[in-house]
Amino acid sequence: MDFSKIIVLIPTLNEAKNLSILIPELFRRLPGISVLIVDDRSTDGTAPLLAELQRTFPRLSYIIRQGEKGYGRACLEGFRRSQARPFEAIVTMDADFSHDFNAIPGLAAHLPEYDVVIGSRYIPGGAIANWHRHRRLLSRFANWYVGFILQIPTRDVTTGFNAYAASALRTIDLNGIAADGYAFLVELKYRLWQKRCRFVEHPITFSERREGQSKMSSRVIWESIWLPWRLRLY
Ligand SMILES: Nc1nc2c(ncn2[C@@H]2O[C@H](COP(=O)(O)OP(=O)(O)O)[C@@H](O)[C@H]2O)c(=O)[nH]1
Ligand SMILES: [Mg+2]
């Protein structure tokens, strides 16, 4: 797919160190692509950094959110903004180098034949580079658990590296998505699946973050345990 039709959505919370390297590298590798950063009032100088980067990279845009923080809330805001512009594909990825932007053309290539392209760690060719054992097991278990309850035929339901056809995201009510964190990713995929969107998984290699700290919390994990039941029962 033509890069000018793709927008890459990156939610950030205190990722200035990663962004200062990621943004120039990404635009060098994928010229013509657009990037939207959705930041939740980071305190590490992200906002001035983005203003500075924007002078070099006109296809970079950003929002500094004022409301309640959250990965899922930030993604939804990014979806709304992206839908108001003439993009055909919206790619979500993390800012911490866990997701390799070199995979974006491969993900987007499945559109428009498919509506949702999952950047998958759990199909042949997919991998996790340097996670310690307990995080690996937690992720494996979470994916098995969610798949078992919701019966979505996707091996990796909690991955945040995905490409969506803009038309597919228009079929669902974004305001109706209540979950955040990993649960948000599950709920979004489940709602798209209910709308009969066509899914495909594309193998990716996930790596542990380079700089900064994970924002995963026990609240996020508990929400993920409860969510599949809420989706299935209501
Ligand atoms: N806007 C926004 N981004 C967030 C928030 N929490 C996490 N992120 C971003 O979401 C991505 C994934 O978060 P991360 O902490 O790396 O989660 P992990 O990879 O599961 O450990 C990163 O780019 C984070 O900066 C949040 O509350 N608001
Ligand atoms: Mg991460």
Side-chain angles (χ1 to χ4, degrees), residues 27-48:
F27 280 114
R28 196 176 314 126
R29 169 69 179 82
L30 307 168
I33 210 159
S34 295
V35 173
L36 172 60
I37 307 282
V38 188
D39 187 75
D40 274 351
R41 301 192 307 287
S42 293
T43 50
D44 65 346
T46 295

Side-chain angles (χ1 to χ4, degrees), residues 4-63:
S4 69
K5 299 198 167 91
I6 305 174
I7 186 159
V8 183
L9 180 62
I10 310 177
T12 59
L13 192 57
N14 297 326
E15 302 284 6
K17 266 191 178 167
N18 287 314
L19 284 175
S20 65
I21 303 163
L22 178 75
I23 296 301
E25 282 188 7
L26 189 151
F27 280 114
R28 196 176 314 126
R29 169 69 179 82
L30 307 168
I33 210 159
S34 295
V35 173
L36 172 60
I37 307 282
V38 188
D39 187 75
D40 274 351
R41 301 192 307 287
S42 293
T43 50
D44 65 346
T46 295
L49 169 74
L50 289 171
E52 174 73 37
L53 286 167
Q54 208 175 33
R55 275 187 253 152
T56 319
F57 305 105
R59 288 178 191 274
L60 172 68
S61 49
Y62 62 91
I63 312 168

Side-chain angles (χ1 to χ4, degrees), residues 1 5-10 34 36 75 78-85 87-93 104 107-108 111 115-117 161-170 174:
M1 184 185 278
K5 299 198 167 91
I6 305 174
I7 186 159
V8 183
L9 180 62
I10 310 177
S34 295
L36 172 60
C75 285
F79 288 156
R80 287 189 203 99
R81 299 286 182 117
S82 307
Q83 282 178 336
R85 296 162 66 185
F87 294 108
E88 288 177 14
I90 301 170
V91 175
T92 55
M93 66 177 267
I104 291 175
L107 288 170
L111 305 168
D115 303 306
V116 179
V117 189
F161 198 12
N162 305 291
Y164 305 92
S167 55
L169 289 177
R170 282 195 195 94
L174 294 177

Side-chain angles (χ1 to χ4, degrees), residues 197-208:
C197 286
R198 296 158 302 170
F199 277 60
V200 66
E201 286 185 87
H202 180 89
I204 56 140
T205 296
F206 180 98
S207 315
E208 185 51 295

Side-chain angles (χ1 to χ4, degrees), residues 10-15 38-40 65 69-71 74 93-96 98 131 135 180 182 206 208-209 213-216:
I10 310 177
T12 59
L13 192 57
N14 297 326
E15 302 284 6
V38 188
D39 187 75
D40 274 351
R65 290 179 69 246
K69 295 188 185 195
Y71 170 87
M93 66 177 267
D94 294 353
D96 57 1
S98 286
W131 253 4
R135 185 110 198 232
D180 215 274
Y182 294 107
F206 180 98
E208 185 51 295
R209 64 164 50 245
Q213 273 169 13
S214 170
K215 287 98 199 169
M216 185 164 78

Side-chain angles (χ1 to χ4, degrees), residues 123-143:
I123 57 167
I128 298 176
N130 43 8
W131 253 4
H132 34 91
R133 198 175 132 82
H134 92 264
R135 185 110 198 232
R136 244 175 233 266
L137 280 172
L138 182 65
S139 175
R140 274 276 182 189
F141 173 75
N143 275 283

